[in-house]
Amino acid sequence: MGFSLTLSLVDCTSSVTFLPFLDRYEPIYINAYFLGEALSSLFPALLGIAQGVGQTSCIKNETGQLVEYNSPPRFSVKAYFLALSVIMLASLLSFITLCLTRMGRKKDTKSNDSSNLKDARPVVELSTVEKTNIDLDIIENIDAMETECQMTRDEFWFSEHGIYLFLCFWTSILIIGATPSIQSFSLYPYSIEVYHHTIIACQFAYPLMSFLGVLVPSLRSRHIYILTVIGTGLFAYTFMAAKLSPCSPLVDQFTGRLLISFSWVLKYCVLYFIRVLLGNYFRRKSGHRGLFWFGVLTQIGSLIGAVVIYLLTDHLHLFRERKICVSYSC
């Protein structure tokens, strides 16, 4: 239990501490972080598939009743955790390599914190920027932070920066906090095959969106808002399917199976792509401070989403899981 608690603390605090650390590196490294974060969930899922976990079938017992039968794993739990340990060791070696070398670091590592800004700002002519090697991104960050400092609290939260912070918090509630807890309630009614195939497909969504973030590092605000509405709507549909379990919408029809699978995969793609876009935005606009708050709000949103779903499941008993070997009249 102690090891589990320690591992959980490391997992939860890594995004808060490591994201600001990446501000000293080139922009491509933030996309590499998102890709690595995605692979950290994809690899264990693939290992679980190779192990054969979750393969359930219905067999008749001595009395002739259908009961669930879980197939034995192809290799032991010890081998599974050893494989995960290799992944963690590779992560540790990669981090040590980053710390000991200057590979990929920005040429100018000065802090962009507004507390270090002086009242009198130097005037730089555009014709001399190239000669003096002044990074235009740093100038843009200074302008943005000075504007933030002049805002009141209400003005800040209704500004683009404040809205994006809220979107980071909101998407964390949906995709990290709430979504994993309703998977079985939402997908099991449509068959065990739909459940497994959909979950596997969802694990590929984050890596693909990380690659897409390299090609499309930013979008206009209106497009991000539209994507947020779409992602929220998809979450609402999957949540409704979980709430209505075991008689979810179109549960015994091919259209229903196709619709629920498509909704889950598209939800993962949309919400994770928003997170990649927001990470690129905060790195570009606020640097170290923006990435820090991006990580903090990610953890707060994840906690709130998980707690809410826990209360709905274990205390209010809002969801009912469909038994695969039981016939329902829906």
Side-chain angles (χ1 to χ4, degrees), residues 168 180 246 280 306 314:
C168 172
N280 286 329
D314 283 13

Side-chain angles (χ1 to χ4, degrees), residues 178-253:
T179 289
S181 301
I182 64 172
Q183 287 176 347
S184 59
F185 300 107
S186 181
L187 292 170
Y188 251 43
Y190 296 91
S191 77
I192 191 68
E193 291 79 11
V194 169
Y195 172 80
H196 284 296
H197 294 160
T198 303
I199 294 302
I200 293 170
C202 288
Q203 298 304 321
F204 286 93
Y206 200 178
L208 291 176
M209 293 304 102
S210 300
F211 279 119
L212 183 60
V214 177
L215 303 176
V216 187
S218 62
L219 287 177
R220 292 184 178 181
S221 298
R222 69 177 70 177
H223 296 151
I224 295 180
Y225 301 154
I226 292 173
L227 288 176
T228 303
V229 172
I230 294 174
T232 303
L234 292 169
F235 174 83
Y237 177 75
T238 57
F239 184 89
M240 180 186 66
K243 170 63 177 67
L244 297 178
S245 175
C247 293
S248 302
L250 304 173
V251 67
D252 295 322
Q253 301 180 27

Side-chain angles (χ1 to χ4, degrees), residues 13 15 24 47 51 60 71 92 104 119 138-139 144-145 155 161 168-169 179 191 208 241 244 261 273:
T13 56
S15 61
R24 67 186 69 182
L47 281 174
Q51 190 183 29
K60 290 184 178 181
S71 302
L92 176 62
D119 293 334
I138 296 178
I139 298 176
M145 284 186 287
E155 290 174 341
H161 210 79
C168 172
F169 170 73
T179 289
S191 77
L208 291 176
L244 297 178
S261 298
F273 185 50

Side-chain angles (χ1 to χ4, degrees), residues 9 24 26 31 37 39 51 66 76 117-118 148 154 161 173 184 207 250 263-264 278-279 285 287 294 301:
L9 289 174
R24 67 186 69 182
E26 296 296 332
N31 295 101
E37 188 177 52
L39 294 178
Q51 190 183 29
L66 289 176
S76 65
L117 297 177
K118 297 182 179 180
E148 292 173 19
D154 292 338
H161 210 79
I173 290 178
S184 59
L250 304 173
S263 298
W264 269 87
L278 293 178
K285 293 292 185 179
F294 178 85

Side-chain angles (χ1 to χ4, degrees), residues 29-303:
Y29 279 72
I30 191 71
N31 295 101
Y33 165 80
F34 286 124
L35 177 60
E37 188 177 52
L39 294 178
S40 67
S41 61
L42 176 61
F43 285 158
L46 294 178
L47 281 174
I49 295 171
Q51 190 183 29
V53 174
Q55 294 184 358
T56 306
S57 58
C58 297
I59 61 173
K60 290 184 178 181
N61 59 11
E62 294 81 1
T63 61
Q65 293 180 337
L66 289 176
V67 294
E68 294 184 14
Y69 172 74
N70 296 313
S71 302
R74 297 188 181 95
F75 51 87
S76 65
V77 176
K78 180 180 179 180
Y80 179 83
F81 280 108
L82 284 176
L84 293 184
S85 300
V86 172
I87 298 175
M88 297 182 65
L89 178 61
S91 300
L92 176 62
L93 294 177
S94 300
F95 178 72
I96 293 175
T97 303
L98 283 176
C99 292
L100 296 181
T101 64
R102 300 191 61 84
M103 178 177 56
R105 294 199 182 188
K106 294 179 182 178
K107 294 181 180 179
D108 189 352
T109 58
K110 293 181 180 180
S111 174
N112 294 328
D113 197 334
S114 59
S115 61
N116 295 330
L117 297 177
K118 297 182 179 180
D119 293 334
R121 295 177 57 201
V123 178
V124 181
E125 296 182 5
L126 291 179
S127 59
T128 63
V129 169
E130 184 176 355
K131 296 179 182 179
T132 56
N133 294 323
I134 295 179
D135 193 346
L136 292 177
D137 287 338
I138 296 178
I139 298 176
E140 183 180 355
N141 290 345
I142 293 175
D143 290 333
M145 284 186 287
E146 285 189 343
T147 302
E148 292 173 19
C149 292
Q150 296 171 359
M151 291 182 181
T152 64
R153 179 176 298 181
D154 292 338
E155 290 174 341
F156 173 79
W157 285 113
F158 284 99
S159 67
E160 182 181 77
H161 210 79
I163 294 174
Y164 280 2
L165 284 173
F166 173 77
L167 293 184
C168 172
F169 170 73
W170 177 246
T171 55
S172 299
I173 290 178
L174 299 185
I175 197 65
I176 303 177
T179 289
S181 301
I182 64 172
Q183 287 176 347
S184 59
F185 300 107
S186 181
L187 292 170
Y188 251 43
Y190 296 91
S191 77
I192 191 68
E193 291 79 11
V194 169
Y195 172 80
H196 284 296
H197 294 160
T198 303
I199 294 302
I200 293 170
C202 288
Q203 298 304 321
F204 286 93
Y206 200 178
L208 291 176
M209 293 304 102
S210 300
F211 279 119
L212 183 60
V214 177
L215 303 176
V216 187
S218 62
L219 287 177
R220 292 184 178 181
S221 298
R222 69 177 70 177
H223 296 151
I224 295 180
Y225 301 154
I226 292 173
L227 288 176
T228 303
V229 172
I230 294 174
T232 303
L234 292 169
F235 174 83
Y237 177 75
T238 57
F239 184 89
M240 180 186 66
K243 170 63 177 67
L244 297 178
S245 175
C247 293
S248 302
L250 304 173
V251 67
D252 295 322
Q253 301 180 27
F254 174 77
T255 305
R257 294 193 291 270
L258 184 64
L259 184 59
I260 193 66
S261 298
F262 178 77
S263 298
W264 269 87
V265 175
L266 186 59
K267 176 182 69 174
Y268 267 79
C269 290
V270 170
L271 293 178
Y272 273 130
F273 185 50
I274 293 172
R275 292 186 54 77
V276 172
L277 292 174
L278 293 178
N280 286 329
Y281 171 85
F282 287 118
R283 179 206 57 78
R284 186 174 65 254
K285 293 292 185 179
S286 302
H288 181 278
R289 185 177 61 171
L291 291 174
F292 171 78
W293 283 108
F294 178 85
V296 169
L297 289 174
T298 294
Q299 297 306 321
I300 295 176
S302 303
L303 174 63

